[in-house]
């Protein structure tokens, strides 16, 4: 098929028009108006509850109550201050502190004092 022939040009024009038609249909199908009208149904129940993959250490609560904070393999002595007010020992320790993975360890202790401390530390972080 030569590009210069009339039948070749008609065939290319037909393919181009077909492609544009499919693109327009796709845009309409996924438009916000039709997504609202024919939206996905809401889930009625949660079938799987993912388990927490972090290992919680209840002894971490004892360390916190003694004003010590061991994170990411590094120990920090708080001397009665907030862990958010001290100079972080290193970048990994700071990242672990602001990641809040240690909150699960305070919860795992089952101690009311540890849970109160967890709440206070979360509030201190926001200040």
């Amino acid at each position: 098929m030569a590009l210069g022939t009339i039948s070749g040009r008609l065939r290319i024009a037909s393919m181009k028009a077909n492609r544009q038609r499919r693109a327009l249909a796709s845009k309409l199908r996924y438009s916000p108006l039709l997504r609202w009208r024919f939206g996905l149904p809401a889930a009625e129940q949660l079938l799987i509850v993912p388990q927490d993959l972090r290992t919680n250490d209840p002894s971490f609560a004892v360390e916190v109550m003694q004003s010590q904070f061991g994170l990411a393999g590094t120990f920090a002595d708080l001397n009665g201050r907030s862990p958010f007010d001290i100079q972080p020992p290193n970048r990994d320790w700071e990242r672990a502190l602001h990641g809040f993975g240690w909150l699960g360890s305070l919860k795992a202790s089952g101690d009311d004092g540890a849970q109160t401390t967890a709440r206070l530390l979360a509030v201190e972080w926001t200040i």
Side-chain angles (χ1 to χ4, degrees), residues 45-118:
Q45 63 183 1
L46 185 62
L47 300 177
I48 299 172
V49 177
Q51 68 182 27
D52 190 7
L53 299 177
R54 297 183 194 119
T55 303
N56 293 323
D57 182 14
S59 67
F60 182 75
V62 176
E63 291 177 18
V64 172
M65 295 300 185
Q66 294 175 353
S67 195
Q68 300 169 352
F69 228 82
L71 297 173
T74 306
F75 171 78
D77 193 6
L78 300 178
N79 295 323
R81 294 178 293 168
S82 168
F84 303 107
D85 293 337
I86 66 168
Q87 179 68 31
N90 60 38
R91 188 81 173 136
D92 291 335
W93 187 90
E94 184 179 22
R95 198 172 288 131
L97 175 68
H98 292 288
F100 287 92
W102 46 268
L103 281 176
S105 295
L106 290 177
K107 181 180 177 184
S109 73
D111 183 28
D112 290 337
Q115 292 183 9
T116 302
T117 301

